[in-house]
Every structure is written in C-alpha cells, then in structure tokens.
Amino acid sequence: MAAIVAVCRVLGRKKLTLGTAAVGLPDPAAHAVLWRRGCSQLTSNEDLLLSQFVSPFTGCIYGRHITGLCGKKQKEITKAIKRAQIMGFMPVTYKDPVYLKDPKVCNIKYRE
Amino acid sequence: MPRAFSAPSEEDFAQQLREKRMACELPETAAALKRMLQALMDRGAIVRNLENLGERALPYRISVHSQKHTRGGYFLVDFYAPTTIVESIKEYLSRDIDVIRPNIIKHPLTQEVKQCEGIIPVPLEEKLYSTKRKKK
C-alpha cells in the first residue's frame, strides 16, 4: 500500500508521508482508501475515501499542494466530493465525525 | 437512489444507453419506491437492481416541497435507459413529495479507467527567464 500512494504523489517532495501511508486501511471492505496506479473509479458513495481530502474543521477540500495528487486525480476527487455533497451523501461544512480517526493522507499540520 | 446503466451490449437497444444514479427518500418508502420504479418502467427504462443504502440522518437539513427533512432513506437504482428519457424522469421525480433529492448520474463502473502517469516534473528554470528578445 505504501508504494502505491507514492506513485501519485509529487516527485521530489521533501516529506514523503510513506510512514502514514503504510498504516493501511482500517477496513478492508472500504477498498478504495488509497489510490492505485490504474486507479479505481470514484463512485459518489465512497465517503470514506472522499472525507480524507476534506478539512475536519471547515469542510473545505484540500488543494493540490496539500493532497499531493496529480492533476487528473485531484480534479476527479474534487468533482466527486462536490457531487457527493450535493446528492446528500457527505456533509459540506464539516467532516463526518465517523471518519475523524482516519489515517492521514494529506500533508497538513493542524495547530495543537 | 443512485441508478446505474451500463453501456449497451445487447443488440436490441439501438439507442445509446447510459448509467444513472439517484439519491434520497422519506420514510414512507415502499409505496413511493413502487411508484418510482413504475414511472421508470413506463418510460422504457429497464431496472437492473435496487439497493437500499440504509436510513440515516441526512448530512444537512434539506428543505424540499415546503418541508424540512433531517432523516432519509438512501436508495440506489441501477437501470438501463436511453438518454432521451432522463429529462422526463428528472421532472417527474422533482414533483414527487416523497423524494427528497433525486439524482441521475452515469454509472461509474462503465467509464474507462485511464492509466495515470503521475506528476511529470516541469523544468521551472526555463520559465524563469523570458525567451522574448528585447529590442535594444
């Protein structure tokens, strides 16, 4: 799993979050938490995956410099998040508290 | 209720078929569901599968048809249909009081997955100096 995430990340980034990626998925049934190279398609039901790219405090979608995704995937994720929010699958102004304990995928540091 | 269509493999359907999805309904479900599926089939859609994604609290309060809803049942309907009936289905569903938020989308599993090459490093030094020749 660790190697998989590294592929889609920015090449030559100083802090490679391989450590956190290796933590792996909490739930094998939620098969789409980390990206694969020939990536799985995004269905709007996957709150687990989409909530990882959303801020827990404000619910804003993280930008490319934080998620480290490549152009296409970032666009896809953004579209899927917006779609899920409009369809009523994902909250808009906050992150669903069920998903607060997810492994950190994005390169963001919160103030303690 | 998300509905899904897949690309036509059968020769019967000369029309382009797409996959669609839909979401949300209120607790008086069985009759409303039947109504909806009937409406779908009346317009020539072929229902493939109906899934119940459970009833839970909506992520935010949705006010529709002069009512505010906080709980709803989520249903996903797979169906085959020509693209021409999408409008009429949408219009019908928007009028139904029991449906909180109908959505029709293409079935995601039929889209082709393109190989992602990752991020290509761009040489930024070339962009630093402009290549235009200055007039002296």
Side-chain angles (χ1 to χ4, degrees), chain A residues 7 10 16 33-34 37 50 54 80 83 85 98 100 106:
Chain A
V7 162
V10 176
L16 269 184
V33 176
L34 294 178
R37 183 149 219 192
L50 298 178
V54 158
R83 206 197 293 160
Q85 285 174 346
V98 176
L100 278 181
C106 302

Side-chain angles (χ1 to χ4, degrees), chain B residues 15-47:
Chain B
Q15 310 133 332
Q16 260 281 311
L17 299 182
R18 271 209 242 148
E19 294 182 327
K20 326 231 166 167
R21 281 189 162 200
M22 217 185 83
C24 287
E25 248 188 51
L26 243 202
E28 292 93 31
T29 39
L33 269 180
K34 260 197 220 162
R35 232 185 307 142
M36 262 192 338
L37 294 183
Q38 192 57 47
L40 270 184
M41 297 204 283
D42 285 341
R43 279 151 234 256
I46 298 174
V47 179

